Amino acid sequence: GENVEQHPSTLSVQEGDSAVIKCTYSDSASNYFPWYKQELGKRPQLIIDIRSNVGEKKDQRIAVTLNKTAKHFSLHITETQPEDSAVYFCAASLGSGYSTLTFGKGTMLLVSP
Amino acid sequence: SQTIHQWPATLVQPVGSPLSLECTVEGTSNPNLYWYRQAAGRGLQLLFYSVGIGQISSEVPQNLSASRPQDRQFILSSKKLLLSDSGFYLCAWSVQVGNTFGSGTRLTVV
């Protein structure tokens, strides 16, 4: 089955800096890659996703890049703010209605004012 | 629009007691439904998923079971809780790709 590795497990940055979280996956058939943000005690929420037919997707201060050849994808957050502090999860799936998501173990991002 | 309801929000149960957590989805038909567990400070572990009424797939053998008696209802159960069953339980749904999560149930087994 699919295996998703996520690094780093913890990331501390100063407000205004950029943050990058990286994930690798094992199943070359995976073609859907979402990122979730989970604030303390709350549910994970989808913040951005990418399909394998594109290499990069951007939404304001967040962007995701995908390298299918190397089987890795990354989340980039620019101009970080304290409210970006949360746990971020990457995931991978086959992208069909019956496929399940395989999640990484999460990255705790701490943005200091 | 679609909404997902999950209850209760918190639950404290003694070891050996039964468990029933319920999840319902509104605004969509024939969704895929999922139960995840998240231990404190840990990742999301998929427990069960269902692609239709009465169809349950188990990802991890354990002390829990799931049922889908109606199209938009998903129930997580246990006959006898263990201390290790403590955690944050999340229900989720999808139609095509991705998961949308419910607000979760924080279960503490004492």
Side-chain angles (χ1 to χ4, degrees):
Chain A
E2 175 66 276
N3 183 51
V4 176
E5 298 284 342
Q6 183 172 347
H7 300 280
S9 57
T10 306
L11 179 59
S12 295
V13 300
Q14 292 289 321
E15 182 177 0
D17 288 349
S18 294
V20 180
I21 302 170
K22 299 181 179 181
C23 289
T24 60
Y25 61 99
S26 61
D27 190 344
S28 57
S30 290
N31 61 12
Y32 175 69
F33 308 92
W35 286 88
Y36 287 83
K37 175 183 179 182
Q38 186 179 27
E39 297 177 350
L40 188 63
K42 298 190 176 180
R43 75 187 85 183
Q45 295 199 302
L46 179 70
I47 56 171
I48 196 167
D49 56 12
I50 191 168
R51 288 188 175 272
S52 60
N53 57 347
V54 298
E56 183 174 1
K57 185 176 178 181
K58 192 172 182 179
D59 183 4
Q60 299 183 348
R61 295 187 297 108
I62 61 174
V64 57
T65 59
L66 171 66
N67 183 328
K68 281 221 67 166
T69 303
K71 291 190 284 189
H72 68 70
F73 57 112
S74 300
L75 178 71
H76 304 254
I77 306 175
T78 58
E79 301 172 27
T80 54
Q81 302 167 3
E83 51 265 38
D84 293 330
S85 295
V87 178
Y88 291 81
F89 292 96
C90 64
S93 83
L94 296 176
S96 71
Y98 297 99
S99 62
T100 59
L101 287 172
T102 300
F103 284 88
K105 293 188 183 305
T107 296
M108 179 174 289
L109 174 64
L110 302 170
V111 181
S112 302
Chain B
S1 64
Q2 302 91 352
T3 56
I4 180 169
H5 302 279
Q6 188 179 344
W7 66 93
T10 60
L11 193 58
V12 180
Q13 292 284 97
V15 169
S17 63
L19 173 73
S20 180
L21 302 181
E22 189 164 343
C23 172
T24 59
V25 180
E26 296 178 357
T28 186
S29 295
N30 197 30
N32 297 328
L33 297 173
Y34 310 84
W35 279 111
Y36 291 88
R37 177 170 60 199
Q38 189 175 35
R42 304 289 295 277
L44 295 156
Q45 180 186 35
L46 178 63
L47 302 175
F48 302 94
Y49 70 96
S50 171
V51 299
I53 296 174
Q55 301 178 63
I56 309 294
S57 296
S58 173
E59 289 292 299
V60 182
Q62 60 213 314
N63 186 40
L64 302 168
S65 62
S67 62
R68 186 170 177 174
Q70 299 180 44
D71 181 44
R72 288 170 286 181
Q73 183 185 29
F74 205 23
I75 298 171
L76 182 70
S77 303
S78 174
K79 292 182 179 178
K80 289 186 178 182
L81 284 169
L82 306 172
L83 286 174
S84 57
D85 291 323
S86 294
F88 191 42
Y89 288 82
L90 289 154
C91 180
W93 72 272
S94 70
V95 172
Q96 294 184 346
V97 294
N99 284 181
T100 300
F101 290 90
S103 54
T105 296
R106 190 162 304 281
L107 171 67
T108 303
V109 182
V110 296

